[in-house]
Amino acid sequence: MKKNLFYLFALVCAMSLFTSCGSDDDDDNKVEPYGTYSGNLSVVLTTQAGAQDPITSKESVQLIKGSSDNKFSFLLKNFMLQMGGIATGIGNINIENVDLVSVGGNKYTFSKSIPELQITAGDKEGVAVWLGPTLGKIPVDLSGTIEGNKVTVVINIPSFMSMDIAVNFTGTK
């Protein structure tokens, strides 16, 4: 009988090694997807004659946490294009209530279509005219992925003034 109690006690002790509590989860290793990402932005204009050479620049985008863990606002502030050596102010692209979908670990996807987005004027000193507010409301498709501290964003503006505009951004926190 004592032998059976000893084996039962040994079994209980061994089983306790395989249990865990909620504080042992890897949430501490989870990277916060929100923040400011700096990187390279490329704009490709496609007309009936075909795609033009990309216009590239260094930019920053902000992913601002929304009212819940799975919502955020996307902000490309003071967006400028260098065309023919001349800097043209476009403005602020602000897209709110974007759904953030976790696909496991530190990887997320997001997308949102806006039928009528108004680009607002930027506030960068030295820029006299911001083109964005004069464009009126335009259709915009936003999509992207976040993996760890890296983000990839695609902004498509289809059929705008007889051209398609593709904005691609890759950056890190």
Side-chain angles (χ1 to χ4, degrees), residues 90-108:
I90 304 299
N92 300 328
I93 298 175
N94 187 16
I95 301 172
E96 298 179 342
N97 293 316
V98 179
D99 290 322
L100 184 66
V101 178
S102 175
V103 292
N106 289 322
K107 194 169 189 179
Y108 302 88

Side-chain angles (χ1 to χ4, degrees), residues 15-32:
M15 291 304 291
S16 67
L17 294 174
F18 296 107
T19 61
S20 67
C21 62
S23 64
D24 292 337
D25 294 340
D26 324 78
D27 288 343
D28 294 341
N29 296 329
K30 204 159 188 117
V31 175
E32 182 74 22

Side-chain angles (χ1 to χ4, degrees), residues 32-133:
E32 182 74 22
Y34 312 107
T36 300
Y37 294 82
S38 298
N40 297 312
L41 185 129
S42 171
V43 179
V44 177
L45 307 173
T46 305
T47 63
Q48 291 178 345
Q52 306 296 313
D53 288 336
I55 303 166
T56 60
S57 62
K58 299 281 187 194
E59 297 287 345
S60 293
V61 300
Q62 295 175 24
L63 306 182
I64 304 161
K65 186 174 182 179
S67 58
S68 66
D69 284 341
N70 63 340
K71 296 275 188 191
F72 71 93
S73 293
F74 170 86
L75 177 61
L76 173 56
K77 189 172 180 167
N78 294 321
F79 177 37
M80 306 279 294
L81 279 180
Q82 292 283 337
M83 296 185 285
I86 300 171
T88 303
I90 304 299
N92 300 328
I93 298 175
N94 187 16
I95 301 172
E96 298 179 342
N97 293 316
V98 179
D99 290 322
L100 184 66
V101 178
S102 175
V103 292
N106 289 322
K107 194 169 189 179
Y108 302 88
T109 62
F110 56 90
S111 65
K112 184 165 185 171
S113 291
I114 301 94
E116 295 184 327
L117 177 75
Q118 180 66 60
I119 297 176
T120 60
D123 59 4
K124 186 175 182 178
E125 285 191 40
V127 179
V129 177
W130 292 96
L131 184 61

